[in-house]
Amino acid sequence: MNVPRPPIETRALEGAAWWRAKLDGEDVTESDWLSYEEWLSETPENRAAAARVDETIATIQANEQMVIKDGSPNGARPPRRWLASSALWASAAAAAAAAALLFIPTPQPPTELAYATPADRARVVELPDGTQVHLNRSTLIRVRFGAERRVELSQGEASFDVFHDPSHPFEVAAGEVSIRDVGTEFNVARNAQSLVVSVRSGEVAVTAAHAPSTRVQAGRMARVSAGAIAVVAARTDDAFAWQSGHLVYHDATLSAVLEDFNRYSAKPIVLTDDKAANLHFSGILAIDEPRTMLAHLQEFLPIQASDDGHRIVVRSST
């Protein structure tokens, strides 16, 4: 069983390779050795790097000695002078080779995870890099961490407080839409006909199948529908209100409100007339069973809802 070794900082490996080449040189002094001991004691990483380089050099030199023995007639030893120069060459070359070898990151198999929430409960998860993800009810994400950090939002709604790492991009994919972190906190709501990205801090790049990449800054919201991206100013804190069990609306269309309701409903909720579709709502609703939320909504809007067995139909009551 191969146990992966912990990573060592590149600076420490470079230093270890440099010191090994210097200490194997002909002009090495006692002062050099004392300086080397000081360098080793500076950090645990320095000692680990020195041990790693020494191990690599020992392996290379052992292989070299095997070649010398096999290549010499009757196992005869080459002249001592040749051996001395060879050892110096091997030590310096091996140090450089060790550094070059150790600087190449060893590919690690990607980490794959999945998180889901039931219809009656949200949850918070922490990804391997420290990114926090709040999952709304009835939400499913799949996580793949390797050269890139990628999350697939299969259904539902989630907000991301991303640990920013420019060398490892963070991307959220939802169908044909991708959202790439440029250092931010954002919310993604996946609906049947659209996808809404709300940025609370920082910035994201949103890309759709038939639209160019669009930057969305803090305080703005992007709605992706039919392959088009529309960006508007928004009260983005409202998009995160579900984390405290509420839905907040400011002059929202009824169709947008029902998009949210659908994320909590086992049956699709549909509008059946244009008059109802043109209604707007402002207010705060507690997240509850969809029929209960619709009943509260009927207290403010002239609508009625009925269940035909396969779906919940919402229409104007006037």
Side-chain angles (χ1 to χ4, degrees):
M1 176 178 177
N2 293 324
V3 179
R5 297 182 175 185
I8 300 175
E9 290 186 2
T10 299
R11 184 184 297 274
L13 290 169
E14 287 177 339
W18 184 88
W19 272 113
R20 180 57 191 263
K22 181 172 181 61
L23 296 177
D24 282 343
E26 294 181 352
D27 59 347
V28 63
T29 65
E30 182 178 352
S31 177
D32 291 331
W33 280 102
L34 292 174
S35 297
Y36 174 61
E37 290 297 330
E38 289 180 4
W39 178 82
L40 284 176
S41 64
E42 286 177 359
T43 66
E45 287 78 11
N46 287 354
R47 287 193 177 277
R52 188 76 60 84
V53 169
D54 286 348
E55 178 185 334
T56 304
I57 290 173
T59 300
I60 294 173
Q61 289 178 334
N63 291 337
E64 182 194 50
Q65 292 300 320
M66 186 177 298
V67 170
I68 291 173
K69 180 178 179 181
D70 291 345
S72 302
N74 302 319
R77 296 172 60 84
R80 181 177 179 80
R81 180 179 178 185
W82 187 92
L83 274 176
S85 62
S86 173
L88 289 174
W89 173 88
S91 182
L101 175 64
L102 293 171
F103 297 156
I104 300 174
T106 303
Q108 298 294 329
T111 300
E112 297 188 1
L113 304 164
Y115 301 96
T117 51
D120 61 348
R121 189 168 64 254
R123 67 180 293 199
V124 181
V125 299
E126 185 169 298
L127 302 187
D129 66 339
T131 291
Q132 279 203 339
V133 184
H134 290 251
L135 302 176
N136 204 344
R137 306 180 189 195
S138 301
T139 295
L140 169 64
I141 64 170
R142 293 183 172 86
V143 178
R144 182 181 176 87
F145 271 37
E148 291 189 343
R149 301 174 293 166
R150 180 181 173 86
V151 176
E152 179 186 347
L153 178 62
S154 300
Q155 68 179 51
E157 180 175 23
S159 64
F160 301 84
D161 190 354
V162 179
F163 175 80
H164 189 51
D165 180 358
S167 62
H168 295 85
F170 188 95
E171 182 179 1
V172 177
E176 295 185 336
V177 179
S178 68
I179 304 100
R180 182 163 290 228
D181 162 59
V182 190
T184 188
E185 183 182 9
F186 59 98
N187 189 81
V188 183
R190 185 172 183 176
N191 307 310
Q193 303 298 326
S194 68
L195 184 126
V196 179
V197 182
S198 304
V199 182
R200 180 148 70 179
S201 65
E203 181 179 330
V204 299
V206 179
T207 305
H210 305 293
S213 180
T214 301
R215 293 291 184 103
V216 185
Q217 292 83 22
R220 300 181 71 81
M221 176 185 75
R223 180 178 293 272
V224 186
S225 180
I229 303 173
V231 180
V232 297
R235 293 179 173 89
T236 52
D237 280 344
D238 295 349
F240 294 79
W242 61 265
Q243 295 178 11
S244 60
H246 296 87
L247 299 175
V248 180
Y249 300 101
H250 296 275
D251 197 32
T253 64
L254 179 58
S255 57
V257 174
L258 295 186
E259 278 185 348
D260 291 340
F261 284 17
N262 266 301
R263 286 197 295 276
Y264 306 99
S265 179
K267 293 182 179 180
I269 303 172
V270 298
L271 278 170
T272 58
D273 63 76
D274 293 337
K275 189 174 182 180
N278 290 327
L279 294 172
H280 287 68
F281 173 70
S282 296
I284 300 175
L285 296 172
I287 297 174
D288 206 328
E289 200 275 331
R291 298 176 195 277
T292 302
M293 290 193 289
L294 282 169
H296 289 318
L297 196 59
Q298 290 177 70
E299 296 175 7
F300 301 96
L301 297 177
I303 58 172
Q304 59 183 13
S306 58
D307 189 334
D308 67 4
H310 302 287
R311 58 183 187 168
I312 300 173
V313 178
V314 177
R315 59 173 62 89
S316 172
S317 62
T318 59

